[in-house]
Amino acid sequence: MISLFAEESIRTRFSFVLAAERLGMRVIGTENAARFSSFPSATQMLKEERLTHAITVLCEYGPDVIVLRHKREGAAKMAARVAGRYGIPVINAGDGAGQHPTQALLDLYAIRERFGRFEDLTVAIGGDLKYGRTAHSLVYLLAKFPGTRFTFISPRELSMKEEILQYLQRHKVPFQTETILKRAIREADVVYWTRIQRERLTDPALYERVRGIYRIELEHMRHLKKNAILLHPMPIGGGEIAAAVDRHPQALYFKQAGAGVFVRMALLCYIFGV
Ligand code: NCD
């Protein structure tokens, strides 16, 4: 497995590496592809052939799989097109403000652990829904199950990407937007909270304006349904969840993250037909 991370990561990177090693694979990788080589940075990526070249060379080395994280949306798809010619799969470990599909798989795992199903769930998703790629992938995945209903809550400037709202409309998946935290969470089976993606905001003042607007405090947990769960892809960033919530029995984000190794092992097995 070539693990190519051109953007910061601890959880995703470590859990991919652990997953591969537990399956007896060998891993080569870099945690900072953008710095340790002349690997195309986000701006250089405007010249698309640069990433294409880098991936082509890696494919010439003959790996079984490439795991890629990159700052630019669409990078994994582009890499997959190139590697596809070699029959080498590319796993998207996060592409800018685009998608983070393996995170969504482990989010689903946490949901099934609790509910034993994916159907008929009301899911409140809060935080940075514009740049938060984990939220995007989770919506796409959950929208495939009948009876899913979404409630979105975010600062106005960071509301859910238009293309995702259109996808939901096209597929007749009900959703609503909410501005009052208590109202957003009280009907939900799953509350999925996310960090403001500060590094992706083009206006730095925006972060100061919106941070902490939707902060889950211990007292909010009383409004959750008894069986509801609070998830977060981690890292919890600008105080969107108060530290006191960590020990609440319905806050399951540590267990959710822990399953990342097993879910990624399963994904690798699936890819290799094992
Ligand atoms: C997320 C990411 O990288 O998109 N982290 C992760 O992979 N678990 C969420 C985030 O950075 O906010």
Side-chain angles (χ1 to χ4, degrees), residues 11-12 69 100 103 133-134 195 197 199 233-235:
R11 281 150 291 263
T12 303
R69 168 170 289 195
H100 194 349
Q103 176 68 43
R133 56 195 174 196
T134 66
R195 170 179 80 85
Q197 306 281 302
E199 66 278 24
M234 311 293 278

Side-chain angles (χ1 to χ4, degrees), residues 1-6 28-30 33 37 39-40 50-70 79 82-84 86-90:
M1 180 174 98
I2 290 182
S3 151
L4 195 60
F5 279 73
I28 55 170
T30 169
S37 82
F39 190 77
R50 294 292 304 274
L51 180 71
T52 318
H53 281 182
I55 297 295
T56 305
V57 172
L58 293 179
C59 287
E60 289 287 338
Y61 298 158
D64 293 301
V65 60
I66 297 171
V67 177
L68 176 70
R69 168 170 289 195
H70 203 280
V82 176
Y86 289 82
I88 297 169
V90 173

Side-chain angles (χ1 to χ4, degrees), residues 5 46 49 54 58 62 69 71 80 105 117 126 150 166 173 178 188 192 196-197 232 255 263 273:
F5 279 73
L46 294 175
E49 73 279 8
L58 293 179
R69 168 170 289 195
K71 282 194 166 59
L105 287 177
R117 66 172 206 275
F150 291 106
Q166 284 169 10
V173 180
E178 184 50 81
Y192 189 89
I196 305 291
Q197 306 281 302
H232 189 297
K255 272 185 90 72
V263 169

Side-chain angles (χ1 to χ4, degrees), residues 83-179:
R85 292 202 282 271
Y86 289 82
I88 297 169
V90 173
I91 301 177
N92 181 3
D95 63 327
Q99 299 286 324
H100 194 349
T102 65
Q103 176 68 43
L105 287 177
L106 73 94
D107 298 339
L108 255 70
Y109 184 85
I111 291 170
R112 206 183 61 177
E113 280 277 281
R114 171 66 128 220
F115 298 101
R117 66 172 206 275
F118 299 122
E119 294 80 15
D120 299 313
L121 294 173
T122 298
V123 184
I125 305 188
D128 185 345
L129 307 184
K130 180 173 181 191
Y131 297 111
R133 56 195 174 196
T134 66
H136 301 159
S137 291
L138 184 63
V139 170
Y140 278 130
L141 268 193
L142 281 175
K144 297 185 184 309
F145 298 96
T148 303
R149 288 169 304 274
F150 291 106
T151 303
F152 299 130
I153 179 164
S154 68
R156 192 176 34 81
E157 297 91 333
L158 301 175
S159 54
M160 183 52 87
K161 257 188 178 173
E162 194 49 42
E163 66 190 70
I164 295 186
L165 297 181
Q166 284 169 10
Y167 175 89
L168 294 177
Q169 270 157 356
R170 250 193 341 271
H171 293 269
K172 303 196 171 28
V173 180
F175 67 88
Q176 55 172 354
T177 54
E178 184 50 81
T179 53

